[in-house]
Amino acid sequence: MEHRRGGPAAGDFSDAGREAMEDKIRGALETLSQIQVSVANPELADESVLERRIDRLVRSYADMFAMKDRLGVNVPEEVLAHIKDGRNPDEFTSQFMERVASENQFTNGKIAALTNFQREYAAKLHEFFPDEAQSMALYDGTDGQQLGQDQDTFNAETFEADAREIAGSDFDFFGSTARQQQQQQPVQPVQAAPRKVLTLAELEAQLMPQQRQTPGRAPAVARADPETIARRRAERLQKQATLQRYDNLMTQRDKDYIIRIQVSQLLTDDPAADDFYCHMFQLSRGTAAMPGAGQQQQQSAGDSTANVLREALEQRGMQVPGEQAGEQARGRGRRSNTQSSMARMQQQVQRFVNEARRRPKAPQVAVEGALGKISVNSARNPKQVLQVQRGHSGSMSQHQQQPGGDMRHQSPGAYDAGGLFAVPGDTRTPAVERRKTLQSIETAYGAVLRLEQLAREQARLPTNADHPAVQTWLRAYGEARDQAWAALGAGQPIMNVYPHPLARFLAFSKGKRIIPRVAHHLSIDQVLALATTIIANFETLDVCRFGSLSSQTAGAAVSARQREETELFLHAALPPALAFLADASLQIVNGLLALFLERNNVAWVARTRPALVLLTIMLGRTATLKQPSALGSPDERQALYQAAELYNHLFTSLHGGLAAVFQPPALGQPPNPLDDAFAWQFLATLALGASVEQQHSLVAEVRDKVLEAVQIAKSGSLPADVGAAVTANVNLFLNTLGLDASQVTL
Amino acid sequence: MLFYSFFKTQVGQQVTVELKNDLAIQGVLESVDQFLNIKLRDIHVVDAERYPHMLSIKNCFIRGSVVRYVQLLPSTVDTALLQDAARREAQSTQQMSQTKAAAVQA
């Protein structure tokens, strides 16, 4: 039996009981050794001594047994097992310490993680539920006194569970010690335990490599910031790098080349040439606020270039620099930068235009070695439509003409009524004549357009008359004017051709429309000739011939067209002549009046409105000029005499038909009392120059009409202003006679 | 270039474009180019029930070759000016064809 003088722990125990026990154990050991000696030498020892020693031993055992309750020492069974096996009990202790250390580390990690979690959770809770945070007991890991009930169980669970894990169910060291400690000191040991664990943990931490030691830090987002920032920047750089690989494939020269091609398709330096409609339209309507118009309108040359440039850029979806910068106003440097870039672009475009003009692109190109020429189509010279020549256009259109020769579809130019007056062998057929007239109208239009273009250019000419540019301009102007005059065909008032070319010219509405524009450029003599011709052939004008068609047979559409033509005539074709008349001398007026009366069947013509208007103006002019002048030169007296003669002639020819001056209302439309204004005006001017007898006869004829008008005005069936207007009209006439509408008694 | 010039004056006006496939789109004319391609904004299809796929579309680009009609307001058009512009255009093409013929013969 080997004894281990052991019990190194004996010195550690401060308990008195333990010391006593130690003595007892030592005593027992001595006794045992004595017994061993006596037993080893049986011949020398007495049986009594042996008995005495055995007795002593048993008595020490009994004492130890009695003392055991006073001791507070619990020796683990494993130590005894170690001793039985002959192993060093210290070995057990060292193993145990190792286990404790590792377990402690494990637990410490758990604690740290959970503490962190709790701290963050508490912070978030505090953030979102500030009110409830106070009620909840929050553990922030530093102050153990705030530990709630759950925390205790947390610790207990942790410790108990781990102890069970390591040591099996029979070993319950931790659990028992912890529970004992807890039972003894509920608060303190818990405070002590984490501290103890922590101190051990610190030791372990010093020994073991530090892994994921996280001191209390900021939340996860802030923690990740430098990383994500760096990551994103790296991504961005990488993207840029991949994109930049294909940069600068086109040189600036290539870009200019492409731009030149594209822009030269669109560009025009003279807006009137290619962009006519748009340009003129904007001029006539007053340019609506065009963005960036201010700086560009000043340069007339750059005007169209800038506009086209803007359009071209917009088409390609790019920003127009000048405007956008102007709108956003992002600081001076930027604005001036974009403006200058805009100016640079304009310069570039200008350069392109000049180059393109210097080297005009041939519409055809002949490649070397190819047989023949290839025509290049662009926006300027598009592919032409095939022109098929039809033979004998005259005969074909004649077939078309005859079915349409009745009154309803009477075309303006076909005065020959189906070739009644066409002699065989005569090259003039209605269709040919019509076409000739239309051609002359188009010639007139072309000439007028040229005249207007020249008039626009006149502003840009140099002032001195000797300049060759001025000479050319004058020459061009004169040529165009002559051409227009020739197209009108008003040179000869009376021709042997029926109807007069001018009458045919005026038969078309576009012919009527061109007259004022031409007259603007004609000389006085030419205007006189024009007026003369119109007057001489007045009754052949289509507007007068409308009167011959009774409005009952004609359809509503035709009468509408007639109305339109009449209006157009009165507003467009006649005013130049009237304006001329308004300034003409008495002799000229007399001459024209004489011509009118001679050439036209007055009574018949007087039923048409244009004739009435013309007569009104002429008579009015005569009346104005009839004021006797201080010098009674013989020419003037003669003119006055002539005027009186003419007047009488007119009156007699009108006599009896004056009631017909008032036109019947149009078919299907209610009679408008205001339509007769022109008739009343005519009657008034007629009455101006009338003698007393003529006045009597005048009144007698139109008496019914007057009464009717006054009745309508006074009856009150019309709105007030219309009634007033009707009364005014009647008064026009009556006042010249010295009467008034109020005097009329019904 | 005549109709290009004409449509340039119509920019900003309400027009109705009828296509060759019978789709009629009303909208404000935003831009036009030399091929008469049309860009419209704030569009609204005339017969919306037949074309439900156009419900969400606000702007569109129409190729010029598929347009059948463009309906305009007469007040925005100056017909006399348009006639003059057409005459000029006709004159210029006549001149060009004459020079072409002269060049061919030469």
Side-chain angles (χ1 to χ4, degrees):
Chain A
M1 203 175 359
E2 284 181 329
H3 301 281
R4 293 260 177 94
R5 284 257 173 200
D12 296 342
F13 295 119
S14 55
D15 204 358
R18 285 199 207 109
E19 280 179 16
M21 182 61 93
E22 266 182 45
D23 295 348
K24 274 289 174 200
I25 291 171
R26 246 182 247 118
L29 281 172
E30 268 187 51
T31 316
L32 277 170
S33 65
Q34 282 170 7
I35 292 172
Q36 187 188 7
V37 167
S38 63
V39 168
N41 302 323
E43 346 25 272
L44 296 176
D46 288 347
E47 285 186 10
S48 61
V49 176
L50 187 63
E51 282 179 14
R52 249 190 287 142
R53 283 180 189 156
I54 290 170
D55 197 13
R56 211 192 304 149
L57 187 66
V58 173
R59 243 185 254 128
S60 61
Y61 284 154
D63 291 334
M64 277 195 279
F65 189 76
M67 280 166 72
K68 79 165 169 46
D69 292 327
R70 275 189 277 139
L71 290 173
V73 178
N74 291 328
V75 180
E77 284 177 20
E78 292 214 64
V79 181
L80 295 173
H82 269 284
I83 293 167
K84 250 188 247 173
D85 292 339
R87 295 201 295 267
N88 193 351
D90 288 348
E91 199 183 307
F92 166 76
T93 311
S94 72
Q95 278 180 7
F96 195 76
M97 288 308 288
E98 273 183 41
R99 257 190 250 130
V100 163
S102 65
E103 185 49 39
N104 183 60
Q105 193 200 0
F106 183 63
T107 311
N108 187 45
K110 267 200 185 178
I111 289 173
L114 284 167
T115 312
N116 272 330
F117 169 71
Q118 193 184 24
R119 205 178 293 125
E120 288 192 34
Y121 189 64
K124 285 294 173 189
L125 267 177
H126 199 73
E127 193 184 307
F128 286 107
F129 300 101
D131 309 324
E132 278 113 312
Q134 303 303 322
S135 62
M136 280 193 247
L138 294 176
Y139 175 60
D140 59 353
T142 54
D143 190 0
Q145 284 179 4
Q146 280 187 356
L147 207 54
Q149 199 60 34
D150 49 345
Q151 202 58 44
D152 285 340
T153 54
F154 160 75
N155 267 334
E157 277 169 24
T158 315
F159 288 137
E160 280 170 24
D162 294 346
R164 238 178 269 121
E165 269 172 42
I166 356 165
S169 54
D170 38 5
F171 172 63
D172 206 12
F173 180 69
F174 258 143
S176 54
T177 50
R179 225 181 289 116
Q180 245 188 9
Q181 283 175 349
Q182 275 181 3
Q183 281 162 13
Q184 284 168 14
Q185 291 153 351
V187 179
Q188 254 191 352
V190 178
Q191 193 183 9
R195 217 182 281 159
K196 210 179 183 180
V197 172
L198 274 174
T199 48
L200 278 169
E202 278 169 22
L203 277 170
E204 294 305 320
Q206 281 171 15
L207 291 173
M208 299 281 196
Q210 289 193 9
Q211 287 178 12
R212 270 186 270 158
Q213 286 290 326
T214 61
R217 265 211 249 168
V221 176
R223 190 204 318 165
D225 237 6
E227 285 180 25
T228 46
I229 286 174
R231 207 177 352 116
R232 282 180 200 149
R233 194 168 26 158
E235 281 172 16
R236 215 174 28 237
L237 287 172
Q238 205 183 16
K239 261 188 228 164
Q240 276 181 15
T242 48
L243 288 173
Q244 273 171 359
R245 231 190 301 161
Y246 299 109
D247 263 357
N248 293 328
L249 281 176
M250 278 179 89
T251 62
Q252 192 58 35
R253 192 166 160 273
D254 291 334
K255 290 181 201 165
D256 284 348
Y257 181 62
I258 299 293
I259 289 179
R260 207 185 320 145
I261 293 175
Q262 287 172 340
V263 173
S264 67
Q265 290 288 327
L266 296 174
L267 202 56
T268 163
D269 206 33
D270 176 20
D274 273 321
D275 206 16
F276 184 71
Y277 182 82
C278 188
H279 191 250
M280 290 296 143
F281 189 85
Q282 281 166 357
L283 280 181
S284 66
R285 299 288 171 110
T287 334
M290 286 199 320
Q295 57 172 355
Q296 282 148 14
Q297 267 174 1
Q298 292 159 13
Q299 328 169 353
S300 60
D303 188 40
S304 57
T305 64
N307 288 343
V308 176
L309 195 59
R310 208 188 312 120
E311 286 159 19
L313 285 176
E314 277 169 10
Q315 276 173 38
R316 283 150 192 82
M318 299 194 290
Q319 265 193 7
V320 183
E323 304 158 21
Q324 298 284 336
E327 285 171 17
Q328 291 168 10
R330 276 206 200 143
R332 287 201 158 182
R334 224 195 190 164
R335 200 188 302 162
S336 65
N337 188 21
T338 49
Q339 272 186 358
S340 70
S341 72
M342 189 73 169
R344 247 184 292 128
M345 268 198 279
Q346 275 188 11
Q347 283 173 18
Q348 265 184 352
V349 164
Q350 200 58 41
R351 240 187 305 134
F352 296 155
V353 169
N354 294 336
E355 266 191 51
R357 231 188 265 130
R358 199 160 47 90
R359 260 185 259 137
K361 246 187 288 210
Q364 287 169 341
V365 67
V367 185
E368 286 284 333
L371 302 169
K373 299 184 185 149
I374 306 166
S375 75
V376 177
N377 291 115
S378 75
R380 293 297 146 77
N381 60 329
K383 214 183 247 188
Q384 299 286 334
V385 174
L386 284 178
Q387 305 280 349
V388 176
Q389 290 288 340
R390 265 187 281 150
H392 296 294
S393 55
S395 56
M396 275 188 68
S397 40
Q398 194 175 20
H399 287 300
Q400 289 167 8
Q401 201 64 30
Q402 274 165 357
D406 57 287
M407 293 201 296
R408 233 185 309 268
H409 302 288
Q410 195 167 31
S411 61
Y415 281 102
D416 289 356
L420 261 177
F421 301 111
V423 175
D426 194 359
T427 52
R428 295 176 60 239
T429 58
V432 168
E433 291 301 307
R434 183 159 187 267
R435 188 163 289 217
K436 272 197 208 163
T437 314
L438 287 168
Q439 271 178 354
S440 62
I441 291 179
E442 287 302 317
T443 318
Y445 264 97
V448 166
L449 284 174
R450 274 203 303 282
L451 283 172
E452 284 169 1
Q453 179 70 23
L454 289 167
R456 277 191 288 274
E457 286 170 14
Q458 192 182 17
R460 283 192 271 171
L461 287 177
T463 47
N464 56 335
D466 296 339
H467 203 273
V470 179
Q471 300 292 327
T472 42
W473 184 90
L474 282 172
R475 209 164 340 122
Y477 191 83
E479 274 174 21
R481 193 167 65 173
D482 295 336
Q483 194 181 24
W485 179 244
L488 275 182
Q492 287 180 307
I494 300 164
M495 293 171 73
N496 57 353
V497 177
Y498 176 81
H500 194 272
L502 184 63
R504 272 204 296 271
F505 194 98
L506 289 172
F508 294 96
S509 58
K510 55 181 180 174
K512 295 186 185 89
R513 285 204 187 102
I514 195 73
I515 295 288
R517 291 166 72 174
V518 175
H520 179 73
H521 297 279
L522 293 176
S523 66
I524 294 286
D525 294 331
Q526 286 168 330
V527 175
L528 170 62
L530 180 66
T532 315
T533 317
I534 290 176
I535 288 171
N537 297 289
F538 207 84
E539 68 177 358
T540 60
L541 289 174
D542 64 331
V543 289
C544 295
R545 288 171 60 81
F546 290 158
S548 69
L549 308 168
S550 75
S551 47
Q552 271 80 38
T553 56
V558 181
S559 71
R561 194 181 75 83
Q562 289 174 2
R563 243 177 224 285
E564 213 177 283
E565 294 285 332
T566 317
E567 291 289 327
L568 193 54
F569 182 80
L570 288 170
H571 290 300
L574 209 46
L578 299 179
F580 171 76
L581 275 174
D583 295 328
S585 66
L586 190 55
Q587 279 139 346
I588 294 178
V589 175
N590 282 342
L592 288 174
L593 190 54
L595 189 61
F596 184 82
L597 295 172
E598 180 192 325
R599 293 272 299 170
N600 304 309
N601 182 352
V602 182
W604 181 78
V605 151
R607 288 157 62 236
T608 61
R609 211 169 125 192
L612 288 175
V613 170
L614 185 64
L615 281 173
T616 312
I617 300 289
M618 281 206 280
L619 290 174
R621 183 67 182 159
T622 316
T624 322
L625 292 170
K626 255 201 229 173
Q627 313 303 324
S629 58
L631 313 165
S633 63
D635 289 333
E636 282 183 17
R637 265 182 277 123
Q638 192 181 21
L640 286 169
Y641 178 71
Q642 261 184 342
E645 278 291 318
L646 286 167
Y647 183 84
N648 291 332
H649 187 190
L650 175 65
F651 197 87
T652 46
S653 40
L654 281 175
H655 183 76
L658 275 174
V661 164
F662 295 92
Q663 278 181 348
L667 189 69
Q669 287 175 15
N672 188 0
L674 297 175
D675 276 346
D676 300 330
F678 68 94
W680 291 115
Q681 284 169 356
F682 170 67
L683 289 172
T685 43
L686 198 59
L688 273 178
S691 64
V692 180
E693 303 133 356
Q694 287 166 332
Q695 278 180 2
H696 281 311
S697 55
L698 198 57
V699 169
E701 284 188 46
V702 298
R703 170 192 216 84
D704 297 331
K705 283 288 174 184
V706 170
L707 288 171
E708 190 187 312
V710 173
Q711 200 170 24
I712 289 173
K714 281 193 183 164
S715 68
S717 63
L718 302 167
D721 52 347
V722 177
V726 169
T727 320
N729 285 341
V730 178
N731 274 337
L732 270 178
F733 172 58
L734 293 175
N735 289 345
T736 52
L737 295 173
L739 303 170
D740 192 67
S742 52
Q743 293 175 349
V744 177
T745 52
L746 294 164
Chain B
M1 303 309 287
L2 173 68
F3 284 105
Y4 172 53
S5 174
F6 173 70
F7 277 118
K8 275 199 289 189
T9 67
Q10 292 290 325
V11 166
Q13 305 287 340
Q14 182 90 7
V15 299
T16 305
V17 180
E18 183 175 325
L19 307 180
K20 288 176 182 168
N21 66 355
D22 294 335
L23 173 60
I25 304 177
Q26 216 173 46
V28 177
L29 186 65
E30 200 178 329
S31 81
V32 68
D33 67 353
Q34 54 169 332
F35 306 110
L36 304 186
N37 298 328
I38 292 174
K39 268 194 194 166
L40 298 175
R41 66 156 202 263
D42 301 333
I43 63 172
H44 140 261
V45 179
V46 167
D47 189 5
E49 294 166 350
R50 275 179 61 197
Y51 307 101
H53 60 278
M54 300 281 294
L55 275 178
S56 63
I57 299 179
K58 298 288 168 239
N59 315 314
C60 70
F61 171 90
I62 302 173
R63 185 183 156 99
S65 66
V66 304
V67 172
R68 184 187 286 147
Y69 301 125
V70 176
Q71 292 160 10
L72 323 155
L73 290 172
S75 58
T76 57
V77 177
D78 186 352
T79 46
L81 184 59
L82 194 54
Q83 286 179 5
D84 284 348
R87 286 192 178 99
R88 287 178 72 107
E89 194 82 5
Q91 278 174 7
S92 65
T93 47
Q94 234 177 29
Q95 281 171 11
M96 275 201 292
S97 64
Q98 278 170 10
T99 52
K100 244 203 225 177
V104 165
Q105 283 170 8

